[in-house]
Amino acid sequence: MHEINTTLQLRNIVMKSVNTNEAHPEKRVFQALRIEVNRELEVLENTLEKIVDRLNKNGRLCVITFHSLEDRIVKNKFKEMSKKCICPPDFPVCVCNHEKKVKLISKKPILPSKEELKVNSRSHSAKLRVCERV
């Protein structure tokens, strides 16, 4: 086993290890490393509620995500902040004292239009979610 010292070495290992027709399978490895090193998912989850807390009443938060891990966090956090009660369903009475903070403007993500995709191929994986402070 050898030490990996360069991105080129890592790329070559990935290319030898992966059996796929994908043009650049190493992209996902580098993306995963970047996400982990920068703690991007943790930062996203911890920041959404703080941003909402700073919004004025009727202020809107719009978040564009580019992969499923980000989108799941935004979707779940918006859903949690849009509920008045987050107690387990089998609780007979609410004991959580959770306050509804937002109203969902877009329950489903807004996806790029065909026109957008024609002029901006990078928008293919983009999903927009919007909530409003109550």
Side-chain angles (χ1 to χ4, degrees):
M1 189 175 286
H2 294 93
E3 206 172 277
I4 302 169
N5 295 309
T6 69
T7 55
L8 183 59
Q9 288 175 317
L10 179 57
R11 180 197 175 278
N12 290 337
I13 291 168
V14 171
M15 296 304 282
K16 289 177 186 172
S17 303
V18 177
N19 184 11
T20 181
N21 293 332
E22 194 176 338
H24 298 283
E26 74 277 11
K27 283 182 178 181
R28 283 198 287 201
V29 172
F30 288 113
Q31 179 186 36
L33 288 171
R34 186 201 75 227
I35 289 169
E36 184 61 28
V37 166
N38 295 334
R39 299 178 21 244
E40 292 176 14
L41 301 177
E42 179 184 335
V43 169
L44 175 63
E45 184 158 9
N46 294 335
T47 305
L48 289 170
E49 197 158 354
K50 291 175 185 175
I51 293 170
V52 166
D53 288 342
R54 291 181 172 264
L55 286 175
N56 291 330
K57 185 176 175 18
N58 300 322
R60 290 188 177 188
L61 173 60
C62 305
V63 180
I64 300 174
T65 60
F66 291 96
H67 59 78
S68 61
L69 297 173
E70 289 174 339
D71 190 58
R72 185 176 305 120
I73 289 170
V74 174
K75 177 181 86 171
N76 290 339
K77 199 63 162 173
F78 278 15
K79 186 176 178 183
E80 176 188 316
M81 290 188 295
S82 71
K83 290 183 177 180
K84 180 152 177 57
C85 174
I86 56 170
C87 290
D90 57 335
F91 275 32
V93 178
C94 175
V95 293
C96 69
N97 296 320
H98 185 266
E99 291 294 320
K100 179 178 178 172
K101 290 186 175 190
V102 301
K103 172 176 75 171
L104 299 179
I105 300 301
S106 58
K107 290 184 182 176
K108 298 280 186 184
I110 300 166
L111 304 175
S113 66
K114 289 179 182 177
E115 295 78 24
E116 171 75 13
L117 290 168
K118 284 179 188 173
V119 296
N120 181 7
S121 62
R122 295 176 79 189
S123 69
H124 175 73
S125 60
K127 292 181 179 181
L128 171 66
R129 292 187 184 270
V130 183
C131 69
E132 182 177 282
R133 182 78 158 121
V134 293

